[in-house]
Amino acid sequence: LRVNFSVIQKDSGFVNGLIAVLHDITEQEKIDMERREFVANVSHELRTPLTTMRSYLEALAEGAWKDEEIAPVFLQTTQTETERMIRLVNDLLQLSKMDSTDYRLSKEWVDFPIFFNRIIDRFEFTKNQNVTFIRRIPKDAIFVEIDEDKVTQVLDNIISNAMKYSPEGGRITFQVKQEESRITISVSDEGVGIPKDNLTKIFDRFYRVDRARSRKLGGTGLGLAIAKEMVTAHGGEIWAESVEGKGTTISFTLPYDAAEDDWS
Ligand code: ADP
C-alpha cells in the first residue's frame, strides 16, 4: 500500500485540509517494479567496470602502452574488471536458472560433517591471510538429503565473505547444531560487522552495506541473494546476527530427520 498526502494550504499559510490518496500496489505492479529495479541494477553493475576499462584502454591506445611502468598496471586493472564482470554474469545466470520454473535440486544423502569439513579444508589450504579456523562440528555422522553443489555454493559464499571481512589475525568459527527436525550451520567472524538495520537487507540482490568496500574486495552483491535462494529451495532458512565492530554470524538451517538418521 502506498499513501500520498497533499496539504491544502491557504496563501496565508493556514492549513485547512489534508488529502490522503491510497494506492493499492498490486502484486503484478510490485513484480514489474522489482524487475525494472533489477535491470537498472544489472546495467549499473556492468557499466561501472566497462567505463573503467574504456578509460584504461584509451590511455593505453594513446601511448601509455609504451610506458613500462604504467602499462602493466593499466592492463592488470582491465583484467580485474573483466574478471569481476565474468563473476557477475555467472551469478546472474545462476539466479536466472533458479528463477525459472523447471528449477530442480538434485539431492543425495550426504554425511554433513564430512562434507562441511572438506569445504573448510579447501579454504584452509588455499587461504593467504592470517585467520584461524575453529571447528565446532560433531564427529558423528549426520545424514541430510541435499544438493551438494548448491549447498557447496551457499557455504562458499558465506565463508568467502567471512574471510573478506575478517581482520588480520581474526578467528572464523564453524558450527553445526543438530536438532530434532533440522540442523543449523553457522559461520562466525570477528570482522567489521553489519549495522542492525541492514541485517535482513544483505540477502537482497545487489545490496551492500558499503558499496566501495564490496567493490574493492571483488564482490558482486549477489552472493547472499544466491545463498538465500538455494537455502529456501532446500526448505531451510538463512539469517544474520551481528555486532558492529565485533563480528558477524551467518546461519542457515537444513531439514533433518533425527528418527530417520537413527540407524542403530
Ligand atoms: P558481496 O559480493 O558484496 O560480498 P554479498 O551478497 O555476499 O555481496 O553480501 C552482501 C553484503 O553484506 C556485503 O556487501 C557486505 O556489506 C555484507 N556482508 C556479508 N557478509 C558479511 C560479513 N561476514 N561481515 C560483514 N559484512 C558482511
Side-chain angles (χ1 to χ4, degrees):
L1 197 73
R2 195 172 54 204
V3 188
N4 284 346
F5 287 105
S6 324
V7 177
I8 305 165
Q9 200 170 16
K10 289 198 172 153
D11 289 345
S12 62
F14 182 72
V15 177
N16 62 354
L18 187 67
I19 301 175
V21 183
L22 310 181
H23 301 268
D24 189 11
I25 306 176
T26 62
E27 195 55 30
Q28 188 53 47
E29 272 181 272
K30 205 172 146 237
I31 291 169
D32 286 348
M33 214 167 72
E34 278 169 7
R35 183 173 304 141
R36 275 198 300 273
E37 200 179 319
F38 183 66
V39 172
N41 276 331
V42 171
S43 315
H44 178 82
E45 294 295 329
L46 285 171
R47 195 178 51 188
T48 311
L50 283 170
T51 47
T52 307
M53 285 168 64
R54 184 177 57 193
S55 321
Y56 282 90
L57 289 172
E58 261 167 20
L60 285 165
E62 279 163 15
W65 66 273
K66 281 182 267 181
D67 190 315
E68 272 183 42
E69 282 200 4
I70 291 175
V73 179
F74 282 16
L75 285 169
Q76 178 63 48
T77 307
T78 339
Q79 217 165 343
T80 312
E81 294 300 305
T82 313
E83 270 149 26
R84 183 211 305 287
M85 284 198 290
I86 293 172
R87 270 200 304 278
L88 181 64
V89 171
N90 282 337
D91 282 356
L92 287 168
L93 280 173
Q94 188 65 252
L95 276 171
S96 104
K97 251 193 263 165
M98 287 186 295
D99 283 342
S100 74
T101 42
D102 59 347
Y103 176 64
R104 283 221 164 60
L105 295 175
S106 62
K107 287 191 191 168
E108 279 169 80
W109 286 99
V110 173
D111 182 352
F112 199 81
I114 291 179
F115 164 79
F116 194 19
N117 274 310
R118 207 174 286 145
I119 293 173
I120 303 166
D121 287 343
R122 171 160 51 79
F123 277 93
E124 187 132 53
F125 291 139
T126 55
K127 74 175 193 237
N128 50 13
Q129 75 196 92
N130 178 19
V131 286
T132 309
F133 285 0
I134 299 165
R135 306 187 199 208
R136 302 220 170 99
I137 302 168
K139 296 271 178 290
D140 294 337
I142 306 174
F143 279 96
V144 285
E145 199 180 13
I146 55 169
D147 184 322
E148 265 192 83
D149 289 347
K150 302 290 184 297
V151 179
T152 299
Q153 198 177 349
V154 171
L155 285 164
D156 278 357
N157 292 356
I158 296 174
I159 299 170
S160 49
N161 278 343
M163 312 258 299
K164 276 197 283 190
Y165 297 100
S166 273
E168 168 73 15
R171 289 175 296 185
I172 298 178
T173 308
F174 304 92
Q175 198 163 0
V176 175
K177 271 192 285 185
Q178 186 178 2
E179 286 159 71
E180 216 26 53
S181 61
R182 62 180 206 179
I183 59 169
T184 305
I185 301 99
S186 48
V187 178
S188 309
D189 63 60
E190 299 178 329
V192 287
I194 301 166
K196 224 180 174 56
D197 292 346
N198 302 330
L199 281 179
T200 53
K201 293 191 202 137
I202 58 167
F203 298 98
D204 292 348
R205 296 174 183 191
F206 294 118
Y207 187 85
R208 288 116 151 183
V209 176
D210 181 341
R211 190 164 286 269
R213 191 208 300 261
S214 162
R215 281 186 59 77
K216 209 172 71 206
L217 296 170
T220 63
L222 292 174
L224 288 179
I226 291 173
K228 185 176 180 169
E229 298 256 357
M230 288 177 168
V231 169
T232 308
H234 278 84
E237 282 174 87
I238 187 165
W239 67 94
E241 290 156 290
S242 185
V243 179
E244 265 186 282
K246 285 260 162 67
T248 303
T249 299
I250 307 285
S251 309
F252 67 95
T253 61
L254 289 172
Y256 164 72
D257 188 344
E260 198 163 344
D261 203 20
D262 192 4
W263 304 103
S264 52

